[in-house]
Amino acid sequence: MGTIYIQDEEKTQTLIDTQGKIEEFEGISDECKQLLLSLPKVIGWRTPYLYKFQKFWCQPKEIQAILAAQNHFQALDNDVFVATVPKSGTTWLKALVYAVVNRNKFDLNSKDHPLLRANPHDLVPFLEYKVYANNKLPNLSNITSPRLFASHVPYNSLPKSIVTSNCKIVYICRNPFDTFVSIWHFSKRIRPKSLGHFSLEEAFDMYCEGHVGYGPYWDHMLKYWDESLRAPNKVMFLKYEDLKGDVCLQLRRLAKFLGYPFSPEEERKGVVDTISKVCSFEEMKDLQVNKKGTSILNFENEGLFRKGEVGDWMNLLSMEMVEKLSEIMDEKLKGSGLEFPSLNINK
């Protein structure tokens, strides 16, 4: 077996004893189980363990779905992929991309617009959570073009056809302070009680070690950042803070990158403002479709909309935590050109 990182032996034993309640390998193929037994693992946030797979950390069902996507997904040149660090504005970006690409198909002012009837995660499905989840090998040939998909997977683990085709990848990340706070609140909401108490301090230490789903996040961000510099017509890099700062400016950049620029007539008609409003955090959070039901696994849609603020980390992190994470960011991002200048660490 691979190396097992144990933070608390008593807690680990408790997790093992609860396998009757939480079937970590339920629905996992024998082949994938054998792979998992060979991988290093650490205590998980919402599952018993996270496994180190292709240099990043994730859960058994995710690994199985990622392998299926790598083996079977065939990208088309006009596909669009939303790639994100978890809890960094994924839902918002999916809505924006969908609205931009489909604005000539659906009237943005119509009460029957798909974004008013469906959660963005249903309209722009994750490869690992929906398309290839639960051992599915779907036929995607009948999907109307352009096809829209999403993934949390690091760049180096995307299906090869995504990387080699002429499809577009739009990537968004968020400053690591707010990202941690968002994932902490989300994990508390969905963590099974049978896994026991999970303290803020424990979660923060794991986050700083990179032991978080699809982490380390620094590696995740940097590879997409590098690719956006190397192939700017292929990969567009966005920051959550920039979207919050001027969503209309970023919408224009997004539309141009995707090949759907706004015409002078659309500008006169206020189409950009309409999209920004329809896809705004406040508007989406208030929709009934986003107050009930599930779109990703068994996560309630309402849990996808908490605050959407920049700087919420100031309400949760101690100065010691801020200093520790700042040092990590300085070390990991040094020389890359990737910065988060909107941060104000002087609490």
Side-chain angles (χ1 to χ4, degrees), residues 295-328:
S295 297
I296 305 176
L297 303 179
N298 60 344
F299 306 153
E300 296 177 355
N301 286 342
E302 64 176 350
L304 301 172
F305 302 88
R306 194 178 66 87
K307 286 187 177 181
E309 296 177 353
V310 174
D312 192 38
W313 58 271
M314 297 183 187
N315 300 315
L316 187 69
L317 303 184
S318 68
M319 199 59 202
E320 291 74 20
M321 289 177 171
V322 172
E323 290 173 354
K324 179 177 181 178
L325 189 50
S326 296
E327 290 178 0
I328 292 173

Side-chain angles (χ1 to χ4, degrees), residues 8 18 40 91 178 201 238 256 258 265 270 309 318 340 347:
D8 186 318
T18 61
T91 309
D178 278 333
E201 293 73 20
L238 285 169
K256 183 178 180 180
L258 293 176
E265 182 179 1
E309 296 177 353
S318 68
F340 295 91
K347 294 179 64 176

Side-chain angles (χ1 to χ4, degrees), residues 42 163 199-200:
V42 295
V163 175
S199 71
L200 172 67

Side-chain angles (χ1 to χ4, degrees), residues 25 28-39:
F25 287 175
I28 301 296
S29 69
D30 290 340
E31 182 180 4
C32 190
K33 287 178 185 177
Q34 290 303 311
L35 170 63
L36 290 167
L37 291 174
S38 71
L39 300 177

